Amino acid sequence: MTAETIFEYFPNLSENQKEQFEKLEELYKDWNQKINVVSRKDIDELYLRHVLHSLGIAKFISFNDGSKILDVGTGGGFPGIPLAILFPEVHFTLVDSIGKKIKVVDEVIEGLQLSNVKTINARVEEIPGQF
């Protein structure tokens, strides 16, 4: 499965969104070799087992522009990063207590040039605000 499958389910993506989805595999494969955040057997099925599953919520819920969404225990950035690509006008905060996972997520966010995502390396109980 490739990013093209995502485009079939979500045909109204901008060119920028398509490029970001296409970059996901390269970024995750590169970082996963350094810091294992996606199961080795799942990395070849990234679009099916992680990206498409993350986007499934978008078939039932549409976030209002300006909403603040909290992804608790984001791990490798799922579902937060794919949803942030799909909803560029929504603000996502990705939280995980494991620093090496947040390191990978930060690098993926930077590689995709996502401006609507921030990460926090902490336990969710420590996060102020409403989401």
Side-chain angles (χ1 to χ4, degrees), residues 94-105:
L94 283 53
V95 179
D96 205 289
S97 63
I98 300 174
K100 70 178 186 176
K101 291 181 180 181
I102 290 295
K103 166 79 172 143
V104 172
V105 172

Side-chain angles (χ1 to χ4, degrees), residues 40-99:
R40 301 258 186 239
K41 63 183 170 109
D42 281 355
I43 195 69
D44 291 330
E45 296 291 331
L46 182 75
Y47 288 107
L48 175 63
R49 294 190 179 171
H50 295 285
V51 179
L52 197 55
H53 283 189
S54 295
L55 296 174
I57 191 172
K59 288 295 185 181
F60 302 97
I61 296 173
S62 182
F63 301 113
N64 294 326
D65 289 356
S67 295
K68 295 188 331 187
I69 307 298
L70 183 65
D71 178 358
V72 177
T74 193
F78 299 102
I81 289 176
L83 289 172
I85 295 170
L86 192 63
F87 296 103
E89 303 302 322
V90 174
H91 305 285
F92 290 85
T93 301
L94 283 53
V95 179
D96 205 289
S97 63
I98 300 174

Side-chain angles (χ1 to χ4, degrees), residues 32-44:
N32 210 53
Q33 290 176 355
K34 301 170 193 170
I35 300 172
N36 189 25
V37 292
V38 176
S39 162
R40 301 258 186 239
K41 63 183 170 109
D42 281 355
I43 195 69
D44 291 330

